[in-house]
Structures are given as C-alpha cells and as structure tokens.
Amino acid sequence: MDKYSFIMNSINSKRSSEKLALKLSSLLGESRVLVDLDILEQFSTDKSHCEGVMPDLAVRVKSESEIVSVLQLASQFNVPVVARGAGTGKSGGAIPVKGGVVLDLTLMNDLLEVDRENLLAVVQPGIVTGQMQSMLAADGLFYPPDPNSLESCTIGGNVAHNAGGPRAFKYGVTREYVMGVRAVLMGGDIVCPGKRTVKGVAGYDVTSLMVGSEGTLGVFSQITLKLIREPKIVSTLLVPMPDEESAGKAVSQIVAAGMVPSVLEFMDSFIVDVLRSKGVSGVDRATGALILAEVDGDDEASVERLTLRLADICESVGAREILMARHGGEREKLWAARRLMSDAVADTAKHKVSEDIVVPRSAAPELLTGLKRLSQKYHVRLASYGHAGDGNYHVNVLWDDDEFNVSPVVEDVFRLTLSLHGTITGEHGIGLAKRPYLSLEQAPSLIALQQNIKRVLDPRGLLNPGKIF
Ligand SMILES: Cc1cc2nc3c(=O)[nH]c(=O)nc-3n(C[C@H](O)[C@H](O)[C@H](O)COP(=O)(O)OP(=O)(O)OC[C@H]3O[C@@H](n4cnc5c(N)ncnc54)[C@H](O)[C@@H]3O)c2cc1C
C-alpha cells in the first residue's frame, strides 16, 4: 500500500469509528462509550511488553444484547473489535493493533447460577476469578484453576487463554472445567456450544475450539463451569534444596512414584538469591533451589502419608529443614516466596521478558542446562521458575542495556524448548508476543487450517485482528 492510500485508509477508519461511537452513545448512553485519550491509553496496554496502538473508543457493556449490538454495528462500519477482561494478559492479546473498539467486559461480573446437585456454575465473563472462587468456597464448592493473577484476572480472559496455574498438575487447566459457553460472533450471531451434562458428544467439540481462542473467534457472554467439592485438608511444604540438579531429581522422583501433589513448583538459584536478599524465611545460604509443594484431600491420614512421603523423597536427594504448614496463615507464609518472586525478579533489571515454555517433565534437566548455556552465550541473566509438575517453566530474560536486542535470546529459548519436544507457550497464549515464533512450532498446513477456521467465523478479520497468526 502506498503512503497516500495508507493515510486515506486511516482517515476513513477514524471516520467510521466516530460514526460508530455516536451510534453506540445513543444506544448505551454516553457514559459507557469512552473516547477520552487518558482512558483509552489504559486500554492500549496489558501486562506484556508488547506495543499496540490506542483504540478509537472503548465500550463498557452490561449484557449479552449489548455485546450483540456492538458487534453488529462494528461489522456494519467495518471497525475492528478487541474483547478485554482485566488486561492482565502477558502476550498482548487484549491490545489493539488497528485502533477500533475495545469491548470492556468487566461490568458483566455476576455469578448467575450455582447448581449444587450437578456441580456446575454459570457465570458472566467479567467476574474476577478469585472472587468467584471465594463465593463458591462459601458453599464448599471448588473451581480449581488458579492463575497467579486470580485476584484481578477475569474468567472470560482465563477461558480465552485456557489459563493454568500451580494447581494444574493435579486438577488440570481451565479447559477441563469449561462445560459450555455462549459466544457472540462478529456480526452479532450467538452460538452456544457445550452442555450441562457430564458426557455429550453431539457434533464437533466447538467448546474446546473456543477455549484458548484468544478473543479471535467470538466474545464470551456466558460461561458454564464444572465444579468439584473443596478438599477439606491442605498441607503445604517449602523445600530448600542444595542445588537445581537435586531439585530436578526430587521432582522427577515424585512424578515417577505416581504421586500427585496439587502443587509442585520450582524456583532456580537466581530466584533463590533474590528471595534471600529479601529475607524470605526458609532461604538460607545453603539453599540453591526451592520446591513449593501442596498435598490435598479429604482424608487426614492419606494427606499426612503423602506429605511425609514427598518430604522423604526430597530428603533422599538432599533437602534439609523442610518447612510444613497445615493452616491458612501458616500456609500463606510459605507461599510468600512464590508470590513475591515475580516482582522481586523484575526489580533486579531494567528490562524483563517472561516466556512460559513447556517441556516433557523428563527433559527438565536438559532444559535448565541449555538455559545456562544461553545465559552465557548472550551475557544475560535468565531466571526460571514454574510449575515443575507440568514441565511448565517461566523463563525470565533480564538485562539493563537499552540497546540490547532480546529477540535472538527468545528465539533460542524457543528452539531449545522445541528441540526437547516442548511447546513455546503453556499458559499465556501466542497473542502478539509470540506471533513471530508460531511457525517454529507448527507446520504451514496447521497454521493455514486455523486461519481457515478463523475466516469462517470472522470473514473480514475484524475480531482481535493481528493476533496469533
Ligand atoms: C502477576 C501475573 C501472574 C499471572 N499468572 C498466570 C498464571 O499462573 N497462569 C496463567 O495462565 N496466566 C497467568 N497470567 C496471565 C493472565 O493473568 C491470564 O492470561 C488471564 O487469563 C488473563 O485474563 P484477563 O481477564 O486479564 O484477560 P485480558 O488480558 O483482558 O485478555 C486476554 C485475552 O482474552 C481475550 N478475552 C478477554 N475476555 C474475553 C471474553 N469475554 N471473550 C472472548 N475473549 C476475551 C482478550 O481479547 C485477550 O485476547 C498472569 C498475569 C500476571 C500479571
């Protein structure tokens, strides 16, 4: 496209957005159509390092019929739309790249129904995950997926990214709990894939396709979630290990023994140093890596047995002075290291990029050795922590030089991961951040198939354009 056509296109799209803003203001009221630049700026970022552009407007919807109106009108005016929950995403998924509308779903935050007999809940997409979990827990019900951002992220964002978290090792990720969704397609049609029954195989599994679709196929207006009973007893262990190798051995022996703790988290030597400097308890000079584990269940004796067995395995490969806790406040103290970590690591450098790769669990030692090699090759700090039970590691690249080009490091981390039969993202999605790297993992035919699916649902590519592919 030449410069003149580009400018004319931009002017035309701004005009279309202005007309859309006027229409939506008369329909929803001016207070819910935001055009103030200060506010729009907030909608142009998320918790990734990605840069997008400002939307032309943001719309705060309160109901499914309002989502339908926005997607109908935006289609008519040929204006792109980006659905947005809390904006905690780490791959740039909720950031506009072509202006247009940001559809803010945070006002749709009701827990609509709890079916105690059939163990399910129906929720609106903007409910904050942690708040929903607390409401359900008051009834003894449990929605296990627990992204570390759960105090702020929304269930709609979790479904769009198929969010995981520390408990995924035992309980699985978001996908395992989504029984069905109501989704509004670009243009305003509503589809309702899914069921309220435990089994059901009618037609293609469109619910699964929608989970993890990163806001590119439809906008969730309602989500039906599977629940389980809350485990009565939880026991937490913070295990100081002498080095990363022994931590790796402990993890693989726990997994090989067929034990299924609900949490099995790993923190490397760099992170241990950072935590030690912050005075975190359990992190003394002899600690070279940390494991945080949790065992849960309803039966006192079996939780106790599993906890002791897990501690035995860790001790047999070098752990000392394992800290254990059973009750709320005490357990929270052991989690302090894990919760503090992300910010504490970020504070050690001017720049940080965080990747969320996954390798087969048995490949963890090769991954950690390979990362050390990359750290030396590029003269950067690499700090790794993660859901060791799943083989899902958050690899943080840290550097201070403003001129440093981090892309080759990131690409080498992905190439290392793929050489170990892993995947480039376990939780955060492709979004904008990993878009250049999808073709390292997936063949052109598989990418083309997904693009064709996208075209069927959104022929003009107006819903969250520029993401994934
Ligand atoms: C400190 C921190 C810790 C984190 N820990 C974890 C973790 O442990 N595990 C994990 O998986 N992630 C984690 N994340 C990443 C992030 O919180 C998750 O990806 C979360 O699911 C995003 O939810 P959100 O409401 O913020 O979505 P947003 O960032 O607003 O949006 C994310 C994507 O979802 C789409 N979307 C949002 N709502 C809808 C909807 N109703 N319909 C269709 N599409 C929609 C958007 O278009 C976008 O593509 C963490 C982030 C932070 C900042």
Side-chain angles (χ1 to χ4, degrees), residues 83 85-89 93 105 147-149 154 157-158 160-161 163-164 214-215 218 220 427 464:
T88 68
L105 292 141
N148 281 304
S149 50
T154 66
N158 293 173
H161 272 182
E214 302 192 21
F220 309 129
E427 299 184 327
N464 211 358

Side-chain angles (χ1 to χ4, degrees), residues 273-353:
D273 288 343
V274 174
L275 294 175
R276 191 185 297 113
S277 72
K278 300 267 172 198
V280 170
S281 62
V283 189
D284 62 16
R285 292 208 160 279
T287 306
L290 277 173
I291 292 174
L292 178 75
E294 236 168 41
V295 174
D296 67 7
D298 289 337
D299 173 49
E300 181 81 43
S302 61
V303 170
E304 180 76 16
R305 208 169 36 246
L306 201 56
T307 305
L308 294 178
R309 208 163 142 225
L310 201 145
D312 278 350
I313 291 181
C314 293
E315 277 168 357
S316 73
V317 290
R320 304 157 305 104
E321 298 180 38
I322 298 175
L323 304 175
M324 296 191 202
R326 270 295 182 82
H327 302 288
E330 291 301 310
R331 286 183 38 230
E332 243 339 280
K333 276 190 201 154
L334 300 190
W335 272 92
R338 178 70 175 84
R339 300 211 195 283
L340 228 161
M341 190 186 50
S342 184
D343 288 343
V345 168
D347 285 349
T348 63
K350 248 172 120 177
H351 305 280
K352 176 183 108 161
V353 164

Side-chain angles (χ1 to χ4, degrees), residues 25 56 70 86 143 164 193 202 212 227 250 275 278 284 288 316 321 323 350 387 390 399 410 430 439 454:
S25 296
D56 300 319
V70 174
Y143 172 74
L227 307 176
L275 294 175
K278 300 267 172 198
D284 62 16
S316 73
E321 298 180 38
L323 304 175
K350 248 172 120 177
H387 318 307
D390 304 325
W399 75 101
V410 170
I430 297 289
S439 60
K454 162 80 175 160

Side-chain angles (χ1 to χ4, degrees), residues 223-302:
I223 298 157
T224 303
L225 295 170
K226 179 177 102 174
L227 307 176
I228 57 177
R229 295 273 168 211
E230 194 170 31
K232 294 195 183 97
I233 305 156
V234 186
S235 139
T236 307
L237 301 90
L238 185 66
V239 188
M241 301 298 304
D243 50 43
E244 291 167 8
E245 203 190 338
S246 50
K249 273 190 199 151
V251 169
S252 49
Q253 287 188 21
I254 290 165
V255 174
M259 296 167 74
V260 191
S262 52
V263 169
L264 192 54
E265 297 278 299
F266 162 85
M267 291 165 249
D268 79 357
S269 59
F270 183 91
I271 290 169
V272 165
D273 288 343
V274 174
L275 294 175
R276 191 185 297 113
S277 72
K278 300 267 172 198
V280 170
S281 62
V283 189
D284 62 16
R285 292 208 160 279
T287 306
L290 277 173
I291 292 174
L292 178 75
E294 236 168 41
V295 174
D296 67 7
D298 289 337
D299 173 49
E300 181 81 43
S302 61

Side-chain angles (χ1 to χ4, degrees), residues 36-159:
D36 205 35
L37 290 187
D38 287 348
I39 298 176
L40 294 183
E41 200 167 351
Q42 293 164 25
F43 289 118
S44 68
T45 62
D46 63 2
K47 296 292 180 189
S48 70
H49 59 280
C50 299
E51 278 181 34
V53 301
M54 296 257 277
D56 300 319
L57 61 149
V59 186
R60 309 194 78 194
V61 283
K62 286 187 171 172
S63 66
E64 182 180 81
S65 61
E66 291 184 357
I67 300 177
V68 169
S69 300
V70 174
L71 296 194
Q72 263 172 357
L73 287 168
S75 248
Q76 272 169 33
F77 287 101
N78 212 30
V79 171
V81 178
V82 180
R84 185 178 176 98
T88 68
K90 289 192 144 187
S91 58
I95 298 180
V97 291
K98 291 192 171 174
V101 184
V102 164
L103 184 63
D104 176 356
L105 292 141
T106 52
L107 296 180
M108 289 181 67
N109 55 9
D110 281 335
L111 175 55
L112 298 172
E113 181 192 343
V114 180
D115 181 340
R116 289 168 191 79
E117 277 190 317
N118 292 301
L119 291 174
L120 62 86
V122 182
V123 299
Q124 288 189 313
I127 192 165
V128 171
T129 309
Q131 286 171 10
M132 177 192 78
Q133 284 172 332
S134 305
M135 289 155 95
L136 294 167
D139 263 343
L141 297 169
F142 189 38
Y143 172 74
D146 59 340
N148 281 304
S149 50
L150 59 81
E151 295 306 335
S152 49
C153 66
T154 66
I155 197 74
N158 293 173
V159 176

Side-chain angles (χ1 to χ4, degrees), residues 244-245 363-376 416 420:
E244 291 167 8
E245 203 190 338
E366 281 164 275
L367 174 73
L368 294 174
T369 311
L371 290 174
K372 287 235 168 344
R373 224 175 27 241
L374 292 180
S375 161
Q376 283 157 8
L416 168 67
L420 298 170

